[in-house]
């Protein structure tokens, strides 16, 4: 493709835009309770959402960041609840250690089983995921029932995630599922309230994978 035009090109450096945004976020956020390791995750979440309230509502298990970095470096798998997360994650940084991003929600056997049990595909996808991904990172940004099911499986001892990034968005059970996650003593990243979403979880995971490659 020929990109030549008669227009004078507008020269904008991509890194400058991101750097300027990060400066603005730090200035506008001001004082915050996050550690130096947690802050890049909060900063990238605010960067992706322009939502300071969401950033301030984030809660980290004390071991979340080191556990996430260790899981990526160990080549552990990432399980996402929906394909939007799989599309958004910077997969090169995960694949270079041997990991990859997996989504089971649209697998025919998951759809079939959800229909048979008259339940959500999200729940069945977590049941399938735990068979393949012990020690992996679970990235849940859409489906509250996926997070609730994962929590149930952890409590039963059937699931042992390396890190859970649980920030589903919405009204039915979204805030409640995150309240339950915060009660677990396993590495987690979450937030308080209804806000969240796939883009937010992608931002958090991308911040951690950046730390893993540095
Ligand atoms: C309750 C659900 C919500 N979904 C939302 C927003 C989006 N969902 C998208 C898509 C394409 C999918 N959502 C499903 C996961 C579907 N969504 C649900 C469920 C009905 C129940 C989940 C739960 O309560 O835990 C869920 C169906 C299920 O059986 O699990 C999806 C599987 C639906 C489908 O295609 O059948 C599908 C994911 C498919 C895949 O990844 O392969 C959106 C992209 C739709 C859109 O806006 O176009 C969007 C993504 C938002 C995001 O940031 O991820 C809500 C609004 C979050 C809602 C939960 C809130 C609520 O109503 O209380």
């Amino acid at each position: 493709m020929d990109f030549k035009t008669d227009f004078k090109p507008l020269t904008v450096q991509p890194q400058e835009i991101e750097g300027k945004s990060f400066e603005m976020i730090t200035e506008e956020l001001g004082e915050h309770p996050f550690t130096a390791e947690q802050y890049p995750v909060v900063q990238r979440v605010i960067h992706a959402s322009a939502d300071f309230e969401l950033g301030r509502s984030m809660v980290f298990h004390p071991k979340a960041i080191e556990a996430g970095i260790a899981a990526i470096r160990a080549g552990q798998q990432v399980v996402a609840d929906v394909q939007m997360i799989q599309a958004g994650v910077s997969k090169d940084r995960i694949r270079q250690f041997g990991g990859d991003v997996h989504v089971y929600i649209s697998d025919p056997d998951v759809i079939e089983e959800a229909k048979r049990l008259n339940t959500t595909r999200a729940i069945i996808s977590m049941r399938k995921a735990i068979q393949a991904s012990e020690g992996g990172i679970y990235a849940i940004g859409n489906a509250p029932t996926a997070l609730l099911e994962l929590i149930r499986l952890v409590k039963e001892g059937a699931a042992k995630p390396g890190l859970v990034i649980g920030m589903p968005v919405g009204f039915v059970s979204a805030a409640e599922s995150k309240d339950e996650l915060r009660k677990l003593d396993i590495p987690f990243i979450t937030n308080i309230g209804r806000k969240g979403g796939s883009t937010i979880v992608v931002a958090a995971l991308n911040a951690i994978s950046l730390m893993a490659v540095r």
Side-chain angles (χ1 to χ4, degrees):
M1 192 176 186
D2 184 3
F3 286 102
K4 272 184 259 158
T5 67
D6 293 334
F7 300 112
K8 190 168 179 271
L10 183 64
T11 49
V12 184
Q13 301 293 326
Q15 266 77 29
E16 273 179 30
I17 297 174
E18 192 177 273
K20 180 75 186 151
S21 296
F22 282 178
E23 276 173 29
M24 291 165 79
I25 290 165
T26 299
E27 199 181 314
E28 202 169 325
L29 185 65
E31 281 189 28
H32 60 75
F34 303 108
T35 67
E37 290 74 33
Q38 293 164 356
Y39 182 61
V41 178
V42 177
Q43 191 181 42
R44 201 161 275 277
V45 161
I46 297 174
H47 184 238
S49 61
D51 190 334
F52 286 88
E53 187 186 273
L54 170 58
R56 284 191 179 283
S57 76
M58 290 184 73
V59 182
F60 294 79
H61 182 276
K63 295 211 169 108
I65 305 296
E66 62 173 274
I69 293 171
I72 290 171
R73 287 185 180 160
Q76 292 284 6
Q77 303 305 309
V78 175
V79 173
D81 61 342
V82 291
Q83 293 176 63
M84 279 175 64
I85 292 180
Q86 188 180 41
V89 168
S90 299
K91 289 173 279 294
D92 286 355
R93 294 202 289 268
I94 289 168
R95 286 177 182 154
Q96 68 179 266
F97 296 104
D100 210 339
V101 185
H102 307 271
V103 185
Y104 300 100
I105 202 160
S106 292
D107 288 4
D109 58 344
V110 168
I111 295 172
E112 184 79 8
E113 182 70 352
K115 270 193 203 144
R116 192 180 71 79
L117 296 177
N118 193 22
T119 191
T120 66
R121 287 158 57 182
I123 287 179
I124 305 301
S125 73
M126 288 298 120
R127 290 183 195 167
K128 183 167 182 179
I130 59 155
Q131 292 164 28
S133 293
E134 184 164 324
I137 297 178
Y138 284 73
I140 300 175
N142 177 309
T145 63
L147 185 53
L148 287 169
E149 179 67 359
L150 181 61
I151 291 166
R152 188 185 72 78
L153 293 164
V154 168
K155 283 181 180 167
E156 273 189 4
K160 293 186 176 52
L163 170 68
V164 179
I165 305 177
M167 292 192 275
V169 60
F171 298 91
V172 179
S173 306
E176 292 83 351
S177 65
K178 292 180 262 190
D179 293 344
E180 291 305 311
L181 178 59
R182 288 196 302 280
K183 291 178 192 163
L184 293 187
D185 188 19
I186 60 166
F188 65 73
I189 298 174
T190 188
N191 71 296
I192 296 170
R194 290 171 168 172
K195 291 184 180 183
S198 303
T199 46
I200 303 312
V201 169
V202 166
L205 185 52
N206 283 346
I208 292 173
S209 69
L210 266 173
M211 291 186 249
V213 296
R214 278 179 185 151

